[in-house]
Amino acid sequence: MKKVFFSLPGNETLTQSLAAILGAELGETEIRHFPDGESYVRVLSDVKAKSVVLVCTLHHPDTKFLPLYLLAQTLREQGTTDICLVAPYLAYMRQDKQFKQGEAVTSRYFARLIESIADSLITIDPHLHRFHTISELYTIPARALHAAPLLASWVQQHVSKPILIGPDEESMQWVKEVAILAGAPYLVLHKTRLGDENVQVSQPQLAAYTNHTPVLVDDIISTAHTMIETIQHLKQLTIQKPVCIGVHAVFAGGAYENLVQAGAAAIVTCNTIPHFSNAISVDKLLAEAILI
Ligand code: R5P
C-alpha cells in the first residue's frame, strides 16, 4: 500500500525528500496557531484507508508534541489505517534514571505519549545509555537507525589522518564504529557531569597522534560544553585544530558560537535537526527504513 507523507512544521524539506525518493504522495495540512496560542490543525488530503508517515523531529519536544498529537488524532478520525512516526531526533532520551528522589524518568513517560499517537517509530541514534535498545523503552515497533556509516564516509572524504575522539564512555558505541569504518584510530575519554552546563572530561592520551587531526564525535551537541572541554585539553597537546561531528544539532542557546570560539576547525552535523551545520544527509537511510 502506498503511504502518504505528512510534515509537521519545520520538517518540510526532509518530508519532501523522503516522498520523492520513495515516489510517495505528499499529504497537505493546514497547521497554525490561533491568536490565543492554541493550535489549529486541518487535514486537506484524503487519507481514508491509507497508511501515513508523519515526519517530525523532536528537539524542543514540549512545543512540538501537541500539534503532532492533534494531527495524528485528526488523521485517525479521517480513516487512516496506521501511522508511522519518523522522528530523526528523539527527545527525552537522556533522563533515563531517577538520580534524585522524586525525579521524573521522562524517557519512559515520553515513550508512552508517542505510543498513544503512532503505531510504529523510526529514529536515528537515540541516546541509549541505561536503556540498551529502543525496544526496552517502546512497546510499539521501533527502529533505531545508525548514522555511523555516514559519519565514517564523511570523515574519509574530508579529513586526512584523523584520530577519532569520543568525549565520554557513552560515545564509545558511535566512535568505535565510525573509526573502524573509516580505518582510523580512536580514543574514548571519561566525562563527569557536574551540572547541565558543567562537565569535566579526562585528558586524551594523544602522544602517538600529534600529527593527526582530532575528530570529536558525539551523538548530541547540546550546550557544547562536552566538546569545548575536550578542545581545551587538545589545545595543550596538539596544534591541529579539531573537527567536531555531532549526529544531532541540538545547539542550545549560543552553543554553536561558543564551539566556534573554543577553536573548532569545522562543525559538522547530520540533518536530523535542521541547522546550517548539516553536512551529512540521512534522507536515504530513513527512506530505506520506511520501505522495510
Ligand atoms: C550525553 O552524554 C551525550 O552523549 C552528549 O555527550 C551530551 O548530550 C552533550 O551535551 P552538551 O553538548 O550539553 O555537553
Short mmCIF file of all heavy atoms in Angstrom, two decimals, residues 94 127 129 167-168 170-171 174 191 193 196-197 199 218-228 252 255, ligand 1:
data_model
loop_
_atom_site.label_atom_id
_atom_site.label_comp_id
_atom_site.label_asym_id
_atom_site.label_seq_id
_atom_site.Cartn_x
_atom_site.Cartn_y
_atom_site.Cartn_z
N ARG A 94 17.59 11.29 27.49
CA ARG A 94 18.72 11.39 28.42
C ARG A 94 18.29 11.24 29.88
O ARG A 94 19.10 10.99 30.75
CB ARG A 94 19.47 12.70 28.20
CG ARG A 94 20.16 12.72 26.84
CD ARG A 94 21.18 13.83 26.72
NE ARG A 94 20.57 15.13 26.62
CZ ARG A 94 21.23 16.27 26.66
NH1 ARG A 94 22.54 16.26 26.81
NH2 ARG A 94 20.62 17.43 26.56
N HIS A 127 19.54 8.49 22.19
CA HIS A 127 20.56 8.41 23.24
C HIS A 127 20.28 7.21 24.15
O HIS A 127 19.58 7.32 25.16
CB HIS A 127 20.59 9.71 24.04
CG HIS A 127 21.73 9.73 25.01
ND1 HIS A 127 23.02 10.02 24.64
CD2 HIS A 127 21.78 9.43 26.32
CE1 HIS A 127 23.81 9.92 25.69
NE2 HIS A 127 23.08 9.56 26.73
N HIS A 129 21.48 4.77 26.75
CA HIS A 129 22.53 4.62 27.76
C HIS A 129 22.11 3.52 28.72
O HIS A 129 22.47 2.37 28.57
CB HIS A 129 22.76 5.97 28.45
CG HIS A 129 23.87 5.93 29.45
ND1 HIS A 129 24.00 6.84 30.45
CD2 HIS A 129 24.89 5.07 29.60
CE1 HIS A 129 25.06 6.55 31.18
NE2 HIS A 129 25.62 5.49 30.68
N PRO A 167 34.10 11.80 23.60
CA PRO A 167 34.32 12.54 24.85
C PRO A 167 33.86 11.82 26.11
O PRO A 167 34.18 12.26 27.21
CB PRO A 167 33.51 13.82 24.63
CG PRO A 167 32.45 13.44 23.67
CD PRO A 167 33.02 12.37 22.80
N ASP A 168 33.10 10.74 25.98
CA ASP A 168 32.67 10.01 27.18
C ASP A 168 32.40 8.55 26.82
O ASP A 168 32.36 8.18 25.65
CB ASP A 168 31.43 10.66 27.83
CG ASP A 168 30.27 10.81 26.86
OD1 ASP A 168 30.16 9.99 25.93
OD2 ASP A 168 29.48 11.74 27.03
N GLU A 170 29.78 6.82 26.89
CA GLU A 170 28.57 6.56 26.09
C GLU A 170 28.85 6.70 24.59
O GLU A 170 28.15 6.13 23.77
CB GLU A 170 27.46 7.53 26.49
CG GLU A 170 26.90 7.27 27.86
CD GLU A 170 26.39 8.56 28.49
OE1 GLU A 170 25.47 9.15 27.93
OE2 GLU A 170 26.93 8.94 29.55
N SER A 171 29.85 7.53 24.27
CA SER A 171 30.13 7.78 22.85
C SER A 171 30.90 6.62 22.20
O SER A 171 31.05 6.59 20.98
CB SER A 171 30.92 9.08 22.68
OG SER A 171 32.20 8.95 23.25
N TRP A 174 29.42 4.94 19.12
CA TRP A 174 29.49 5.62 17.81
C TRP A 174 30.93 5.70 17.33
O TRP A 174 31.23 5.41 16.18
CB TRP A 174 28.94 7.05 17.92
CG TRP A 174 27.55 7.09 18.42
CD1 TRP A 174 26.42 6.78 17.71
CD2 TRP A 174 27.11 7.41 19.74
NE1 TRP A 174 25.32 6.90 18.51
CE2 TRP A 174 25.71 7.29 19.76
CE3 TRP A 174 27.76 7.80 20.91
CZ2 TRP A 174 24.95 7.53 20.90
CZ3 TRP A 174 27.02 8.05 22.04
CH2 TRP A 174 25.63 7.92 22.03
N LYS A 191 33.97 11.22 31.12
CA LYS A 191 33.32 12.50 31.44
C LYS A 191 32.60 12.42 32.77
O LYS A 191 31.93 11.43 33.07
CB LYS A 191 32.31 12.85 30.33
CG LYS A 191 31.55 14.14 30.59
CD LYS A 191 30.75 14.59 29.35
CE LYS A 191 29.42 13.89 29.22
NZ LYS A 191 28.68 14.29 28.04
N ARG A 193 29.72 14.55 34.73
CA ARG A 193 28.78 15.67 34.58
C ARG A 193 28.49 16.25 35.96
O ARG A 193 28.00 15.55 36.85
CB ARG A 193 27.49 15.20 33.89
CG ARG A 193 26.53 16.36 33.62
CD ARG A 193 25.41 15.98 32.68
NE ARG A 193 25.78 15.93 31.28
CZ ARG A 193 26.00 17.00 30.51
NH1 ARG A 193 25.91 18.21 31.02
NH2 ARG A 193 26.30 16.85 29.23
N ASP A 196 24.05 20.86 34.36
CA ASP A 196 23.59 20.95 32.97
C ASP A 196 24.67 21.53 32.06
O ASP A 196 24.81 21.13 30.90
CB ASP A 196 22.34 21.85 32.86
CG ASP A 196 21.13 21.22 33.55
OD1 ASP A 196 21.20 20.02 33.88
OD2 ASP A 196 20.13 21.94 33.76
N GLU A 197 25.42 22.53 32.59
CA GLU A 197 26.40 23.21 31.75
C GLU A 197 27.80 23.09 32.34
O GLU A 197 28.64 23.95 32.13
CB GLU A 197 26.01 24.69 31.61
CG GLU A 197 24.58 24.87 31.19
CD GLU A 197 24.36 26.04 30.26
OE1 GLU A 197 25.34 26.60 29.75
OE2 GLU A 197 23.19 26.40 30.06
N VAL A 199 30.77 20.18 32.83
CA VAL A 199 31.29 18.81 32.72
C VAL A 199 32.81 18.83 32.85
O VAL A 199 33.45 19.84 32.54
CB VAL A 199 30.92 18.16 31.35
CG1 VAL A 199 29.44 17.94 31.22
CG2 VAL A 199 31.45 18.97 30.18
N ASP A 218 30.22 12.83 18.76
CA ASP A 218 29.24 12.61 19.81
C ASP A 218 27.85 12.50 19.17
O ASP A 218 27.67 12.92 18.02
CB ASP A 218 29.27 13.75 20.82
CG ASP A 218 28.87 13.30 22.23
OD1 ASP A 218 28.38 12.16 22.37
OD2 ASP A 218 29.03 14.08 23.17
N ASP A 219 26.91 11.94 19.92
CA ASP A 219 25.55 11.84 19.34
C ASP A 219 24.85 13.19 19.35
O ASP A 219 24.27 13.61 18.36
CB ASP A 219 24.71 10.77 20.07
CG ASP A 219 24.57 11.02 21.56
OD1 ASP A 219 25.39 11.75 22.15
OD2 ASP A 219 23.63 10.46 22.17
N ILE A 220 24.92 13.89 20.48
CA ILE A 220 24.20 15.15 20.65
C ILE A 220 25.20 16.25 20.96
O ILE A 220 26.09 16.06 21.80
CB ILE A 220 23.19 15.04 21.83
CG1 ILE A 220 22.16 13.95 21.56
CG2 ILE A 220 22.52 16.37 22.11
CD1 ILE A 220 21.34 13.57 22.80
N ILE A 221 25.07 17.38 20.29
CA ILE A 221 25.77 18.59 20.78
C ILE A 221 24.66 19.50 21.29
O ILE A 221 23.86 20.01 20.51
CB ILE A 221 26.59 19.30 19.69
CG1 ILE A 221 27.49 18.33 18.92
CG2 ILE A 221 27.45 20.40 20.34
CD1 ILE A 221 28.29 18.99 17.78
N SER A 222 24.59 19.65 22.60
CA SER A 222 23.51 20.45 23.19
C SER A 222 24.08 21.80 23.65
O SER A 222 24.06 22.77 22.90
CB SER A 222 22.87 19.68 24.34
OG SER A 222 21.85 20.46 24.93
N THR A 223 24.64 21.87 24.84
CA THR A 223 25.28 23.12 25.26
C THR A 223 26.67 23.25 24.64
O THR A 223 27.27 24.31 24.69
CB THR A 223 25.45 23.18 26.79
OG1 THR A 223 26.39 22.16 27.18
CG2 THR A 223 24.13 22.98 27.51
N ALA A 224 27.19 22.14 24.12
CA ALA A 224 28.54 22.03 23.54
C ALA A 224 29.65 22.02 24.59
O ALA A 224 30.83 21.97 24.25
CB ALA A 224 28.82 23.12 22.50
N HIS A 225 29.30 22.03 25.87
CA HIS A 225 30.34 22.04 26.90
C HIS A 225 31.20 20.76 26.85
O HIS A 225 32.40 20.82 27.14
CB HIS A 225 29.73 22.24 28.29
CG HIS A 225 29.35 23.66 28.53
ND1 HIS A 225 30.28 24.65 28.74
CD2 HIS A 225 28.15 24.27 28.56
CE1 HIS A 225 29.68 25.82 28.90
NE2 HIS A 225 28.37 25.61 28.80
N THR A 226 30.58 19.64 26.49
CA THR A 226 31.35 18.39 26.41
C THR A 226 32.47 18.55 25.38
O THR A 226 33.63 18.21 25.63
CB THR A 226 30.41 17.23 26.03
OG1 THR A 226 29.41 17.10 27.04
CG2 THR A 226 31.16 15.92 25.87
N MET A 227 32.11 19.09 24.21
CA MET A 227 33.14 19.25 23.16
C MET A 227 34.12 20.36 23.52
O MET A 227 35.33 20.23 23.29
CB MET A 227 32.46 19.53 21.83
CG MET A 227 31.75 18.31 21.27
SD MET A 227 31.83 18.19 19.51
CE MET A 227 31.15 16.55 19.23
N ILE A 228 33.62 21.44 24.11
CA ILE A 228 34.50 22.57 24.45
C ILE A 228 35.55 22.13 25.48
O ILE A 228 36.73 22.45 25.36
CB ILE A 228 33.66 23.76 24.95
CG1 ILE A 228 32.86 24.36 23.78
CG2 ILE A 228 34.55 24.83 25.60
CD1 ILE A 228 31.80 25.37 24.17
N ALA A 252 21.84 24.24 22.03
CA ALA A 252 21.04 25.07 22.94
C ALA A 252 21.68 26.45 23.10
O ALA A 252 22.90 26.55 23.26
CB ALA A 252 20.96 24.38 24.30
N ALA A 255 25.34 27.73 21.86
CA ALA A 255 26.29 26.61 21.86
C ALA A 255 27.16 26.58 20.59
O ALA A 255 28.37 26.35 20.67
CB ALA A 255 25.54 25.29 22.01
C1 R5P B 1 25.38 12.65 26.71
O1 R5P B 1 26.18 12.08 27.38
C2 R5P B 1 25.54 12.85 25.24
O2 R5P B 1 26.13 11.74 24.63
C3 R5P B 1 26.31 14.10 24.90
O3 R5P B 1 27.64 13.94 25.30
C4 R5P B 1 25.72 15.27 25.59
O4 R5P B 1 24.37 15.36 25.30
C5 R5P B 1 26.40 16.56 25.17
O5 R5P B 1 25.82 17.58 25.90
P1 R5P B 1 26.45 19.01 25.92
O6 R5P B 1 26.65 19.45 24.49
O7 R5P B 1 25.42 19.84 26.65
O8 R5P B 1 27.73 18.94 26.67
#
